[in-house]
Amino acid sequence: MTFQQTLKNPINCTGIGLHSGSKVSMCLKPSDVNTGIVFVRTDQPADRATVRADWDRVTDTRLCTLISNDAGVTIGTIEHLMAALRGCGIDNAVIELNGPEVPIMDGSSAPFVFLIECAGIQQQDKPRRFIKILKQVTVGDGTKFATLTPSPVTGFSFEIDFASAAIARQEGYVKLGNGAFKAELARARTFGFLQEVDQMRKLGLARGGSLDNAIVINGDKVLNEGGLRFTDEFVRHKILDSIGDLYLAGAPIIGHFHGCRSGHALNNQLLRALFADETAWTYVDADEIGAFPADWMAVEKVAAVA
């Protein structure tokens, strides 16, 4: 039986918000069974500070995933942290922040995986609950779409195609298995184009973006001094984003996700379409499924071609 997990100890970090450009302090804390992932804004009054990490709390998907509560309090850029929590098998946690955005760190999930490992993982006394996909659900059109299909395991596949030769066409696939999330996905960074920076900043976005926390592309060249961490880092990061966005389902999904040029908006539309159709999914407990390896939440491998 696979049990729910939380953190053993609280752990803190500080960083810069990618879009706000402001310094933010964050604390990851253990939480009780069946809590899920909950964000708390410590700079807000207690009666309006809590924002649950749920698909129906997503209110903005411009270049990040942003959630809000009924009082209008928001938490932005949650996807990389959510992916790390998913990849490390954390079911229940409280995330405290003194600002409106999760720190971007180096633009990947790796710093968050490090924090979780330092805090330690505590097994809890209730079985984990899953969302099993029963039939295909698709959103989008012929050029951009996202889909969930039934599968005995959880897999993520993605394809991207950019005019820039620095990215071009890439495809990637991951399957849950032998604990390679940290090695194969966590270090893949977010990316953007230099010519879009001015426009994003006029919209109040990317104010904290730099070569220290994103891959920046100018024409057909990567501007970062160290180059890429993987030859296919771009598609790996899109898979990472998808893992984080889909963890807003409130439980791990048993099924296969495929994205084609999709992003945060389509990922959230997919969850909304899924939960709008009660015949497309069902909850199952770990004891109904059978034994899973201890590292089942991690990723087996990434197979990709550029």
Side-chain angles (χ1 to χ4, degrees):
M1 183 182 296
T2 301
F3 290 89
Q4 295 180 33
Q5 297 184 139
T6 189
L7 302 168
K8 282 186 179 179
N9 302 290
I11 192 163
N12 298 278
C13 72
T14 59
I16 299 296
L18 174 63
H19 296 302
S20 66
S22 300
K23 185 176 180 180
V24 60
S25 296
M26 183 172 72
C27 182
L28 311 183
K29 291 186 170 183
S31 188
D32 295 334
V33 296
N34 298 328
T35 299
I37 308 301
V38 178
F39 288 87
V40 176
R41 287 276 302 273
T42 59
D43 61 332
Q44 296 289 321
D47 61 349
R48 51 181 281 138
T50 299
V51 187
R52 290 195 57 83
D54 289 333
W55 59 273
D56 59 352
R57 289 296 174 182
V58 174
T59 53
D60 197 344
T61 53
R62 293 176 302 164
L63 301 179
C64 75
T65 294
L66 180 144
I67 55 176
S68 64
N69 62 18
D70 292 340
V73 175
T74 63
I75 301 286
T77 320
I78 66 171
E79 58 274 11
H80 303 164
L81 175 57
M82 292 298 294
L85 293 167
R86 174 68 169 88
C88 294
I90 301 299
D91 300 278
N92 306 301
V94 172
I95 316 297
E96 293 185 347
L97 300 109
N98 66 349
E101 191 175 11
V102 172
I104 189 61
M105 311 305 275
D106 72 347
S108 77
S109 287
F112 302 129
V113 170
F114 175 76
L115 288 172
I116 292 166
E117 289 179 340
C118 290
I121 298 174
Q122 178 67 54
Q123 181 174 284
Q124 297 176 290
D125 62 359
K126 295 289 184 181
R128 180 175 280 135
R129 186 169 68 164
F130 303 86
I131 295 168
K132 184 177 181 180
I133 304 302
L134 301 179
K135 70 178 187 182
Q136 181 171 317
V137 177
T138 302
V139 296
D141 54 32
T143 59
K144 296 181 179 180
F145 62 88
T147 184
L148 279 167
T149 54
S151 172
V153 296
T154 301
F156 287 81
S157 58
F158 213 101
E159 51 188 303
I160 57 175
D161 193 358
F162 286 83
S164 170
I167 305 177
R169 177 174 175 79
Q170 296 182 4
E171 299 178 1
Y173 169 69
V174 300
K175 184 177 68 175
L176 301 181
N178 69 357
F181 179 86
K182 179 180 175 181
E184 302 292 347
L185 282 183
R187 295 176 63 245
R189 295 162 293 175
T190 191
F191 59 93
F193 294 88
L194 183 64
Q195 64 268 27
E196 297 174 352
V197 171
D198 287 342
Q199 181 60 31
M200 286 190 290
R201 288 180 174 167
K202 288 178 183 178
L203 295 172
L205 302 170
R207 291 174 176 172
S210 72
L211 292 171
D212 293 326
N213 55 38
I215 303 169
V216 180
I217 303 152
N218 185 18
D220 294 333
K221 295 182 179 180
V222 172
L223 298 183
N224 302 67
E225 185 176 347
L228 299 177
R229 294 174 175 178
F230 307 93
T231 57
D232 55 353
E233 187 169 359
F234 304 102
V235 75
R236 291 182 192 236
H237 186 79
K238 295 295 285 185
I239 294 172
L240 184 157
D241 276 347
S242 299
I243 290 172
D245 285 343
L246 263 65
Y247 204 29
L248 291 167
I253 290 174
I254 300 175
H256 185 84
F257 168 87
H258 180 71
C260 177
R261 303 180 183 89
S262 68
H264 302 304
L266 277 179
N267 291 345
N268 185 248
Q269 289 175 33
L270 181 62
L271 289 182
R272 291 178 183 270
L274 173 70
F275 289 112
D277 185 350
E278 294 182 355
T279 69
W281 63 279
T282 187
Y283 283 120
V284 291
D285 287 336
D287 54 358
E288 299 177 61
I289 300 170
F292 281 74
D295 60 356
W296 77 275
M297 292 277 274
V299 173
E300 182 177 274
K301 66 177 181 178
V302 175
V305 293

